[in-house]
């Protein structure tokens, strides 16, 4: 069964909505929002609900309260009020009461250990005050946190506009891409990237591999016919000139491109050279271009080419899970 869009709900007037947002944004040294991209991605759904006179509670996690310091969702209020142009009631816990204002922001879901322990009773209690649940947290959908994969057991559940768009674009990429379809995979986290390389080697016309993982591929992967691994490196910290030439030639022929993972230690020049050259080649290509991954986005943004890309996914891990052919628990829960 396909997931349903929030758009399909007929009468929203006076109905109470719990919206699982993804406001897990980076903070600056003063603890203020440093990049609001993820918040912006949730705004159309919240606005739509408010315009149709629904009562809305927003729920998110920020950071990893288990291993670093606790960040309250209160830091999000100025950014949210500015983007929504709406007064928000902040609640210091997860308890929603309908006599609060139309728009409520609940505290960090991960302050409650039950959230990550996937506690059903906790999910049931969270769901209780509402009429509907909306998932607008694509970046969380590969996880099984209670607020993502369990609340839908207890409420009629729908997908937000951004979640629908992420799924449409990434699914089309895998099922029906315009060819040649070129995948570019780099970065560092081998355990998440290897399954992506394996799956894309079946679906794409070429998989170009750079970054730290290009130094770590085992012999069975290196034998995959459509895989083009980096063939020269700059001190093991960046792809070399022959690889850049090879990769840019493939990129120039592409009709569809998906890119995740920098080609080198782009944070430390001159090892940003390979990543920048690939970013330029991608931005100059007339292909349909999708990128994702926190570091990839930051590398492309650093040289001012982000707006040359057709779609920037908000979900690093969730996007990689989809690209590796896995289904997402948060999405499965909505069907
Ligand atoms: P993304 O966040 O886009 O998914 P990753 O987190 O997988 O990307 O990888 C990004 C990290 O990989 C960056 O911090 C970058 O410095 C590192 N990296 C890339 N190439 C190398 C390399 N050859 N050696 C060490 N680290 C690398
Ligand atoms: Mg990263």
């Amino acid at each position: 069964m396909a997931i349903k869009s929030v758009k399909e709900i007929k009468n929203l007037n006076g109905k109470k909505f719990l919206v699982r947002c993804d406001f897990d944004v980076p903070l600056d040294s003063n603890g203020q929002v440093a990049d609001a991209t993820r918040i912006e991605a949730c705004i159309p759904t919240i606005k739509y609900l408010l315009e149709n006179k629904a009562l809305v509670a927003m729920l998110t996690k920020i950071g990893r309260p288990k291993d670093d310091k606790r960040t309250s969702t209160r830091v999000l209020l100025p950014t949210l009020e500015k983007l929504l142009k709406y007064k928000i009631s902040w609640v210091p816990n997860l308890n929603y009461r309908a006599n609060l204002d139309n728009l409520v922001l609940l505290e960090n879901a991960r302050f409650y250990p039950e959230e990550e322990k996937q506690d059903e009773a906790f999910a049931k209690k969270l769901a209780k005050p509402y009429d509907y649940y909306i998932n607008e947290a694509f970046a969380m959908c590969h996880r099984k946190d209670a607020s993502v994969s369990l609340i839908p057991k207890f409420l009629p559940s729908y997908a937000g506009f951004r979640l629908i768009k992420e799924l449409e674009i990434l699914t089309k990429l895998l099922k029906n891409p315009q060819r040649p379809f070129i995948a570019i995979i780099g970065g560092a986290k081998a355990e998440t990237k290897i399954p992506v390389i394996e799956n894309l080697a079946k679906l794409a016309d070429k998989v170009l591999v750079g970054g730290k993982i290009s130094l770590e591929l085992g012999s069975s992967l290196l034998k995959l016919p459509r895989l083009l691994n980096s063939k020269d490196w700059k001190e093991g910290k960046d792809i070399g000139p022959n690889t850049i030439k090879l990769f840019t030639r493939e990129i120039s022929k592409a009709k569809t491109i998906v890119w995740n993972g920098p080609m080198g230690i782009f944070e430390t020049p001159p090892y940003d050279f390979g990543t920048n050259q690939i970013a330029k080649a991608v931005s100059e290509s007339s292909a349909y271009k999708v990128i994702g991954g926190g570091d990839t986005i930051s590398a492309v943004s650093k040289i001012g080419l982000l707006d040359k890309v057709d779609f920037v996914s908000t979900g690093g891990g969730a996007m990689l899970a989809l690209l590796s052919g896995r289904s997402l628990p948060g999405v499965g829960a909505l069907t």
Side-chain angles (χ1 to χ4, degrees):
M1 206 167 70
I3 59 167
K4 291 175 291 200
S5 160
V6 56
K7 201 112 212 183
E8 292 177 38
I9 306 172
K10 289 289 176 302
N11 179 16
L12 299 100
N13 193 340
K15 295 291 194 307
K16 299 190 265 312
F17 283 78
L18 176 59
V19 186
R20 179 55 166 91
C21 302
D22 171 30
F23 297 153
D24 197 2
V25 291
L27 303 174
D28 63 22
S29 52
N30 299 316
Q32 301 304 304
V33 175
D35 176 32
T37 310
R38 284 187 159 175
I39 301 181
E40 285 161 7
C42 300
I43 296 298
T45 293
I46 309 289
K47 273 196 173 152
Y48 173 79
L49 292 172
L50 293 171
E51 278 160 12
N52 286 283
K53 303 200 165 48
L55 307 171
V56 177
M58 300 178 284
L59 177 63
T60 187
K61 69 120 171 152
I62 328 180
R64 291 189 214 94
K66 234 173 36 184
D67 28 80
D68 46 46
K69 69 178 192 320
R70 286 160 67 99
T71 304
S72 168
T73 57
R74 214 170 353 184
V75 304
L76 302 169
L77 284 170
T79 309
L80 275 169
E81 290 194 329
K82 197 171 109 206
L83 290 170
L84 288 164
K85 300 184 183 69
Y86 211 94
K87 189 185 158 302
I88 301 170
S89 292
W90 179 75
V91 180
N93 47 48
L94 303 182
N95 304 332
Y96 175 78
R97 293 184 313 278
N99 60 355
L100 290 166
D101 289 311
N102 290 359
L103 183 58
V104 169
L105 177 64
L106 303 169
E107 185 49 290
N108 191 338
R110 287 243 181 125
F111 283 5
Y112 301 80
E114 300 95 318
E115 165 74 348
E116 273 185 279
K117 285 191 190 137
Q118 301 152 37
D119 183 319
E120 272 212 31
F122 173 74
K124 191 173 179 185
K125 198 169 150 218
L126 276 180
K128 186 107 198 294
Y130 306 96
D131 300 304
Y132 293 100
Y133 169 81
I134 307 293
N135 185 331
E136 188 56 304
F138 174 65
M140 284 298 296
C141 284
H142 60 312
R143 301 192 184 279
K144 292 182 180 163
D145 288 31
S147 71
V148 176
S149 59
L150 292 178
I151 293 180
K153 286 192 180 188
F154 306 104
L155 282 174
S157 297
Y158 293 78
F161 298 128
R162 178 68 190 205
L163 175 56
I164 297 270
K165 190 165 183 193
E166 293 270 359
L167 294 173
E168 268 172 12
I169 288 177
L170 295 171
T171 309
K172 171 148 196 296
L173 205 71
L174 298 176
K175 292 228 168 100
N176 191 20
Q178 276 224 60
R179 294 184 183 276
F181 170 28
I182 305 296
I184 310 162
I185 305 296
K189 285 172 270 170
E191 65 293 354
T192 55
K193 311 274 170 150
I194 302 289
V196 175
I197 294 170
E198 280 170 341
N199 193 46
L200 288 177
K202 292 181 227 149
L203 303 173
D205 296 286
K206 287 273 157 53
V207 182
L208 318 178
V209 183
K212 187 158 178 268
I213 45 158
S214 68
L215 294 151
E216 296 169 351
L217 296 184
S219 56
S220 64
L221 273 176
L222 290 172
K223 273 188 227 127
L224 292 175
R226 298 184 206 150
L227 188 135
L228 282 184
N229 197 36
S230 173
K231 52 187 204 169
D232 56 343
W233 289 268
K234 204 150 77 190
E235 299 152 44
K237 295 176 181 168
D238 193 11
I239 53 174
N242 296 327
T243 303
I244 293 173
K245 219 179 279 166
L246 177 73
F247 285 6
T248 49
R249 199 181 314 132
E250 292 297 334
I251 290 165
S252 71
K253 289 187 267 182
K255 290 241 165 62
T256 305
I257 296 172
V258 62
W259 180 13
N260 168 276
M263 297 290 103
I265 307 182
F266 73 98
E267 301 93 331
T268 318
Y271 308 110
D272 56 349
F273 187 74
T275 302
N276 290 349
Q277 292 304 108
I278 296 306
K280 279 183 199 142
V282 168
S283 72
E284 282 161 13
S285 147
S286 60
Y288 183 73
K289 307 178 269 280
V290 176
I291 70 164
D295 292 294
T296 311
I297 294 169
S298 117
V300 175
S301 155
K302 210 162 131 191
I303 54 163
L305 294 176
L306 205 54
D307 61 350
K308 299 276 191 275
V309 174
D310 296 285
F311 187 70
V312 179
S313 176
T314 53
M319 170 175 155
L320 290 175
L322 275 184
L323 295 182
S324 60
R326 284 172 28 218
S327 55
L328 306 178
V331 173
L334 297 175
T335 60

